Every structure is written in C-alpha cells, then in structure tokens.
C-alpha cells in the first residue's frame, strides 16, 4: 500500500495516508476540519545513502555499512 499526500480544499492542511493503490481522496476526510474529498497532491522525497552519507544516492555494495552493525548494507540491518 502506498503513502499518498493529500491537501484539504477547505482549510489547506496537507496530510499523508497509507491507502489502497490509486486512492483519489474522494472517500477521505480532512483530519483537521473534517471536510470530505481532499485532493491528492504530488509529494517530494529524499533518499539517504548510508554508504555516501548524503541525500539522493543509493548505497554502494561493498561499503563499510553503518556504525551499528557489520553489514555492508543498511537494508539488511534495518537502519
């Protein structure tokens, strides 16, 4: 199930929801004012690479891993 971001047309609040694939917002209500039918909006994201220590990259294989484990990939330790 994807997390979608919505914006209330009445109060302007933006919020996220874990929804079924393709949810448009018609069946939802704003958690702040209760208005039905918020609009789904595009949301940005950043991916942090533990191997590089910066945003936008992916962990390279053979890296040193994080300081909390001996794995070379934080995907295997959950960090």
């Amino acid at each position: 199930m994807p997390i979608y971001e919505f914006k209330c047309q009445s109060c302007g609040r933006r919020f996220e929801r874990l929804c079924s694939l393709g949810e448009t917002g018609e069946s939802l209500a704003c958690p702040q004012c209760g208005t039905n039918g918020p609009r789904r909006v595009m949301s940005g994201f950043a991916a942090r690479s533990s191997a590089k220590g910066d945003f936008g990259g992916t962990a390279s294989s053979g890296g040193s891993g994080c300081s909390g484990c001996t794995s070379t990939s934080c995907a295997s330790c959950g960090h």
Side-chain angles (χ1 to χ4, degrees):
M1 290 181 115
I3 297 175
Y4 289 122
E5 187 172 351
F6 297 92
K7 181 177 180 181
C8 177
Q9 298 302 299
S10 181
C11 71
R13 176 159 183 200
R14 291 175 78 116
F15 60 96
E16 298 172 342
R17 279 287 156 79
L18 182 65
C19 302
S20 298
L21 190 64
E23 173 67 61
T24 63
E26 293 176 11
S27 64
L28 301 176
C30 174
Q32 182 167 311
C33 70
T35 301
N36 291 322
R39 289 223 162 130
R40 194 171 83 188
V41 296
M42 294 293 290
S43 56
F45 69 92
R48 183 176 171 155
S49 169
S50 63
K52 293 181 182 180
D54 62 357
F55 287 91
T58 57
S60 59
S61 60
S64 62
C66 64
S67 61
C69 68
T70 58
S71 173
T72 58
S73 171
C74 284
S76 63
C77 72
H79 286 122

